[in-house]
């Protein structure tokens, strides 16, 4: 029998397993664990690929995966890219759900959804923790440890109060031409921006600007949308691979966990082997669920045969504002870009309001054909327009905070389908229109008709399904250690435990909290 | 099987024709094959309005201005089958290194950019008028 079984190999499962391994626990990690196809990583830059004959296979895909947005509902081009398809492979089959008009994305991949993340790494600060049953300072040592291990680039600037300590950061990545111009515009008109509630600055990204151990610094090859295994961009595999290779964690792939049973002296975990279809049982003294907010909740409800209780669901709603800068029309393609967020924008309408956080992206890492039919010109004109205007195209994507709402919930059906209802989202448009006014003064043009709100669920920051409550004895909430009520030896390490979701990427907090939960599980083993 | 081969050949011919007449490029035979395969892989014609596919075939047979017709269709329905076909073709042309210069600017060309965009904007007005007229004419001829 193992000390601990961890379910899931994403950001939470990896960091819980790592902590438990450091504590010398006997850890079994059960995972479905889809992997990318065995092929050498792309070594040419995005520009070199475009100038070669390899674009078809590497970027469009043998089954034209990258063209999915031509015919289907819109999905992030990264998730459509051929080498990233493993991230969402078989997800609706393995995790059936019904979501109505909402868009829900799941992953059963080795490394989880973090394989395709935007690498934004932000500490939750004091205000972000106001609904948590512990203060912000509790996570500081874990944030520091994760920062040291994964390598985060960023700097101390106007956004430091929103992003937390800048200790241990590598220097920020190089800004591309368009982002430099945007930041210069902000610096020149800072008083106007700040008076309107806006602050701009450099992002915190889990992307190396300097070598860290065996991982090289960013090469500015603009492959972040095309190659999932870039050593300069952190993914959980970089942490989990050596733990498995060094036998500090026993890893069992191809196992779909179905439910658990808590007995007097152990927890039994029932899983189906996806190759043989055989149902197997594994035992451990403790169980850590890290299958993501949706699937950890699914497992809990299934294990209690509960098909009536609804659990809250949180997600950051995204909105998008495109900008065009005529000053950059006709400029040559920017050869040294990285395709990830160039700048961050934080909007706070007044000091007591919740803030929105936006990311400023430039269009350097995607094919022109991705947007070509959006130009209101005939076909030949769209090609010329894309060639000359894309160097001046940028997008600000805002995230909105999320609080529990009785009309946003999940429920498990007897047939195993997860019913996702997400009816209420925040009112949008105010921040976006104010930003358009300010950016126009910096030479960045947009129009309210171009502003878009993504479907509910498109934030892919699902949280809150098994929320932490300090003294609250409600079933399916978790205590400060992540233990899920009414269980004794079952813990949750993923974002399901977050009672509130601020408007920022939560992955760094998921990793830090998973370490903390792993430590708590270890301590509970010591107590017997 | 013969039907499938025939359809694939027709799609390849369509790809070569549309690439030449709409984008002004000579499509590689391998990309014409990929165009046909993309129809299968993406289900491009699945659920499509059969009358629009027929309209495209008649327009090709009469050497009508396909670019104008597609533009007029796209402005009223972004998801029409003709635009989807053209969109797939755009990806394939962009994947041909001979044409990377059409999609990617490699030297500063500010004046040229504004002249080009201005010219294409004027051209768009003419193409829209022409496209709408052609769509009405071809629909009426078929009625």
């Amino acid at each position: 029998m193992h000390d601990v079984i961890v379910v899931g190999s994403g950001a939470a499962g990896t960091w819980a397993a790592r902590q438990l391994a450091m504590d010398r626990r006997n850890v079994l990690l059960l995972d479905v664990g889809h992997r990318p196809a065995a092929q050498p990583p792309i070594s040419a830059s995005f520009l070199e690929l475009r100038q070669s004959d390899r674009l078809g296979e590497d970027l469009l895909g043998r089954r034209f995966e990258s063209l999915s947005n031509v015919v289907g509902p819109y999905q992030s081009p990264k998730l459509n890219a051929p080498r990233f398809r493993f991230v969402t492979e078989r997800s609706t089959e393995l995790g059936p759900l019904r979501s109505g008009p909402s868009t829900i994305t799941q992953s059963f991949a080795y490394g989880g959804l973090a394989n395709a993340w935007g690498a934004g790494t932000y500490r939750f600060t004091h205000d972000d923790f106001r609904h948590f049953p512990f203060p912000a300072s509790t996570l500081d040592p874990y944030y520091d440890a994760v920062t040291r291990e994964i390598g985060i680039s960023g700097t101390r600037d106007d956004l430091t109060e929103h992003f937390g300590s800048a200790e241990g950061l590598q220097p920020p990545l190089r800004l591309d031409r368009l982002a430099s111009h945007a930041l210069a515009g902000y610096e020149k008109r800072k008083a106007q921006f700040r008076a309107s509630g806006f602050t701009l600055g450099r992002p915190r990204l889990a992307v190396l600007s300097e070598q860290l151990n065996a991982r090289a610094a960013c090469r500015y090859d603009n492959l972040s949308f095309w190659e999932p295994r870039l050593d300069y961009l952190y993914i959980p595999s970089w942490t989990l691979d050596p733990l498995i290779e060094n036998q500090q964690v026993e890893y069992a792939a191809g196992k779909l966990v179905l439910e658990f049973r808590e007995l007097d002296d152990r927890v039994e975990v029932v899983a189906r082997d996806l190759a043989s279809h055989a149902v197997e049982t594994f035992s451990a003294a403790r169980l850590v669920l890290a299958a993501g907010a949706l699937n950890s909740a699914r497992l809990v409800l299934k294990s209690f045969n509960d098909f009536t209780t609804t659990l809250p669901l949180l997600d950051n709603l995204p909105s998008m504002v495109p900008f065009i800068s005529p000053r950059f029309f006709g400029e040559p393609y920017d050869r040294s870009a990285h395709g990830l967020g160039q700048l961050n924008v934080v909007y706070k309408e007044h000091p007591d309001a919740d803030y929105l956080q936006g990311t400023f992206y430039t269009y350097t890492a995607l094919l022109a054909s991705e947007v070509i039919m959006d130009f209101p010109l005939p076909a030949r004109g769209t090609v010329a327009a894309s060639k000359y205007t894309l160097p001046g195209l940028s997008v600000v994507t805002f995230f909105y905070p999320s609080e529990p709402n009785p009309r946003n919930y999940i429920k498990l059906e007897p047939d195993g389908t997860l019913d996702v209802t997400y009816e209420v989202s925040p009112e949008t448009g105010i921040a976006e229109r104010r930003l358009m006014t300010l950016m126009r003064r910096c030479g960045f043009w947009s129009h309210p008709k171009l502003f878009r709100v993504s479907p509910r669920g498109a934030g892919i920051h699902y949280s809150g399904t098994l929320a932490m409550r300090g003294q609250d004895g409600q079933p399916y909430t978790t205590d400060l250690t992540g233990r899920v009520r009414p269980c004794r030896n079952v813990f949750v390490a993923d974002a399901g435990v977050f009672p509130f979701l601020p408007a920022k990427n939560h992955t760094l907090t998921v990793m830090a909290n998973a370490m903390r939960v792993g430590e708590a599980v270890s301590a509970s083993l010591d107590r017997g | 099987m013969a039907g499938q081969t025939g359809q694939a050949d027709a799609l390849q011919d369509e790809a070569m024709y549309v690439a030449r007449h709409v984008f002004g490029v000579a499509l590689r035979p391998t990309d014409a094959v990929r165009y046909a395969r993309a129809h299968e892989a993406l289900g491009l014609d699945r659920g499509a309005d059969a009358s629009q596919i027929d309209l495209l075939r008649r327009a090709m047979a009469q050497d009508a201005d396909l670019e104008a017709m597609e533009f007029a269709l796209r402005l009223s329905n972004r998801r029409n089958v003709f635009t989807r076909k053209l969109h797939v073709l755009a990806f394939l042309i962009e994947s041909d290194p001979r044409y990377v210069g059409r999609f990617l600017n490699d030297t500063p060309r500010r004046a040229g950019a504004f002249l080009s965009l201005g010219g294409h904007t004027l051209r768009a007005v003419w193409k829209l008028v022409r496209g709408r007229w052609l769509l009405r004419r071809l629909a009426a001829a078929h009625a």
Side-chain angles (χ1 to χ4, degrees):
Chain A
M1 184 170 91
H2 293 84
D3 289 335
V4 188
I5 290 173
V6 176
V7 178
S9 64
T14 292
W15 282 83
R18 178 187 181 277
Q19 182 61 48
L20 291 161
M22 297 296 117
D23 291 341
R24 301 268 194 269
R25 301 301 173 183
N26 181 334
V27 182
L28 170 65
L29 198 155
L30 296 177
D31 195 26
V32 170
H34 295 312
R35 301 248 186 179
Q39 55 190 306
I42 298 174
S43 54
S45 70
F46 181 54
L47 178 61
E48 287 164 350
L49 280 176
R50 296 183 75 174
Q51 293 167 330
S52 75
D53 217 2
R54 290 178 54 199
L55 192 150
E57 179 146 329
D58 279 330
L59 303 193
L60 299 190
R62 281 203 190 106
R63 286 169 295 175
F64 307 96
E65 296 92 322
S66 286
L67 278 61
S68 300
N69 284 339
V70 173
V71 293
Y74 182 81
Q75 179 167 259
S76 162
K78 182 182 275 194
L79 290 174
N80 282 337
R83 289 180 182 234
F84 278 96
R85 292 294 268 209
F86 78 99
V87 177
T88 55
E89 186 184 334
R90 295 177 71 190
S91 60
T92 46
E93 175 202 335
L94 297 173
L97 57 80
R98 187 165 47 240
S99 60
S102 303
T103 302
I104 301 293
T105 303
Q106 302 177 88
S107 176
F108 291 84
Y110 176 72
L113 282 169
N115 282 296
W117 70 322
T121 35
Y122 309 99
R123 299 187 182 215
F124 282 11
T125 52
H126 174 76
D127 277 350
D128 298 331
F129 273 96
R130 66 181 186 271
H131 296 292
F132 282 66
F134 53 78
S137 55
T138 302
L139 280 193
D140 281 346
Y142 306 100
Y143 278 138
D144 292 342
V146 174
T147 300
R148 277 194 303 272
E149 165 85 11
I150 75 174
I152 298 175
S153 55
T155 192
R156 195 181 304 275
D157 63 10
D158 290 354
L159 288 177
T160 300
E161 66 170 297
H162 293 284
F163 296 164
S165 169
E167 290 297 316
L169 295 182
Q170 293 193 345
L173 296 176
R174 231 160 43 212
L175 280 182
D176 66 28
R177 189 176 53 212
L178 195 55
S180 296
H181 185 66
L183 188 61
Y186 163 77
E187 292 291 348
K188 194 172 165 186
R189 296 168 188 82
K190 191 181 290 195
Q192 295 173 41
F193 273 82
R194 298 301 290 263
S196 297
F198 287 94
T199 309
L200 265 71
R202 309 295 285 276
R204 305 270 177 95
L205 297 174
V207 176
L208 302 178
S209 55
E210 296 171 339
Q211 173 130 6
L212 179 65
N213 302 323
R215 293 170 52 211
C218 183
R219 291 178 287 279
Y220 299 93
D221 47 19
N222 237 334
L223 290 174
S224 57
F225 276 80
W226 305 104
E227 172 54 59
R229 294 181 71 84
L230 296 167
D231 53 357
Y232 56 74
L233 198 163
Y234 179 77
I235 51 175
S237 310
W238 302 142
T239 299
L240 193 53
D241 284 349
L243 291 173
I244 296 169
E245 282 157 21
N246 298 332
Q247 298 179 330
Q248 293 167 282
V249 169
E250 183 182 341
Y251 177 71
K255 310 292 183 192
L256 178 68
V257 173
L258 303 172
E259 59 182 330
F260 60 85
R261 292 187 285 260
E262 198 169 22
L263 305 176
D264 284 340
D265 59 341
R266 65 190 183 279
V267 183
E268 288 185 342
V269 178
V270 180
R272 185 168 77 237
D273 183 281
L274 293 176
S276 67
H277 303 288
V279 175
E280 302 168 306
T281 303
F282 304 87
S283 297
R286 301 289 185 270
L287 170 65
V288 175
L289 299 176
L294 295 174
N295 286 307
S296 288
R298 185 200 301 262
L299 286 173
V300 170
L301 291 173
K302 177 67 178 73
S303 301
F304 284 93
N305 272 327
D306 188 332
F307 308 114
T308 54
T309 300
T310 59
L311 299 180
L313 178 63
L314 310 178
D315 187 34
N316 295 128
L317 180 74
S319 72
M320 274 177 292
V321 187
F323 290 95
I324 201 84
S325 304
R327 183 196 155 127
F328 291 89
F329 284 2
E331 285 291 323
Y333 173 77
D334 195 333
R335 287 163 183 265
S336 71
H338 55 68
L340 296 165
Q342 292 282 327
L343 298 171
N344 278 133
V345 180
V346 170
Y347 172 70
K348 212 165 156 58
E349 194 171 359
H350 54 79
D352 295 329
D354 275 326
Y355 63 87
L356 310 186
Q357 181 171 309
T359 303
F360 177 97
Y361 297 93
T362 54
Y363 201 92
T364 56
L366 291 172
L367 295 171
S369 294
E370 192 68 45
V371 295
I372 218 165
M373 290 301 172
D374 292 323
F375 288 92
L377 293 169
R380 279 196 213 198
T382 65
V383 175
S386 68
K387 173 179 175 176
Y388 292 126
T389 65
L390 289 184
L393 176 66
S394 52
V395 174
V396 173
T397 302
F398 277 108
F399 278 139
Y400 280 74
S402 184
E403 287 192 336
N405 187 295
R407 289 167 61 192
N408 299 340
Y409 59 87
I410 62 171
K411 188 166 84 74
L412 184 65
E413 298 293 329
D415 66 356
T417 302
L418 200 65
D419 207 335
V420 179
T421 300
Y422 206 93
E423 295 176 343
V424 177
S425 51
E427 192 185 323
T428 57
I430 296 172
E432 293 84 349
R433 276 189 275 274
R434 287 186 183 166
L435 185 66
M436 286 184 208
T437 302
L438 290 164
M439 293 297 284
R440 196 176 309 134
R441 298 172 195 163
C442 305
F444 288 77
W445 296 81
S446 189
H447 190 278
K449 284 209 165 128
L450 298 176
F451 152 61
R452 295 279 180 271
V453 180
S454 296
R456 295 181 191 122
I460 323 183
H461 290 169
Y462 314 123
S463 310
T465 50
L466 300 163
M468 271 190 275
R469 300 274 180 243
Q471 303 299 322
D472 189 337
Q474 295 283 334
Y476 313 134
T477 61
T478 44
D479 67 15
L480 275 95
T481 66
R483 189 192 324 254
V484 62
R485 300 181 176 98
C487 301
R488 294 184 315 279
N489 296 312
V490 181
F491 297 77
V492 180
D494 55 44
V497 303
F498 290 5
F500 167 68
L501 194 58
K504 55 175 53 159
N505 185 303
H506 64 344
T507 306
L508 181 64
T509 304
V510 166
M511 293 191 275
N513 190 59
M515 275 188 82
R516 189 186 67 87
V517 170
E519 209 173 64
V521 171
S522 254
S524 80
L525 284 165
D526 286 335
R527 289 193 298 272
Chain B
M1 191 67 135
Q4 284 177 344
T5 307
Q7 189 181 18
D9 288 344
L11 285 171
Q12 289 174 40
D13 291 341
E14 176 181 290
M16 302 290 267
Y17 181 94
V18 175
R20 188 168 61 250
H21 284 83
V22 174
F23 289 103
V25 304
L27 196 67
R28 293 180 295 189
T30 48
D31 286 332
V33 171
R34 290 165 74 209
Y35 178 81
R37 281 182 34 228
H39 275 68
E40 175 69 24
L42 298 172
L44 211 60
D45 289 339
R46 205 174 301 145
D49 185 343
S51 65
Q52 284 195 349
I53 297 177
D54 178 62
L55 179 69
L56 169 61
R57 301 245 160 91
R58 282 188 287 117
M60 284 170 57
Q62 295 179 29
D63 258 346
D65 188 340
L66 296 179
E67 186 189 18
M69 291 171 64
E70 184 276 330
F71 182 46
L73 276 171
R74 180 166 17 113
L75 290 187
S76 62
N77 174 15
R78 167 80 168 68
R79 287 281 187 170
N80 74 83
V81 66
F82 194 1
T83 297
R84 295 204 303 252
K85 284 171 176 276
L86 228 63
H87 201 169
V88 168
L89 206 49
F91 273 103
L92 294 173
I93 295 168
E94 191 173 359
S95 77
D96 185 339
R98 295 178 301 166
Y99 300 122
V100 67
R102 289 187 182 230
F103 294 86
L104 213 60
N105 188 32
D106 57 1
T107 55
R109 281 197 184 101
R110 240 174 107 64
F114 280 97
L115 279 171
S116 172
L117 291 170
H120 279 290
T121 303
L122 291 173
R123 186 172 176 269
V125 175
W126 158 240
K127 285 284 183 176
L128 180 59
V129 169
R130 184 171 165 75
R132 283 180 174 161
W133 177 78
L134 281 169
L135 286 170
R136 275 198 303 273
R137 197 195 78 176
L138 278 167
H142 191 63

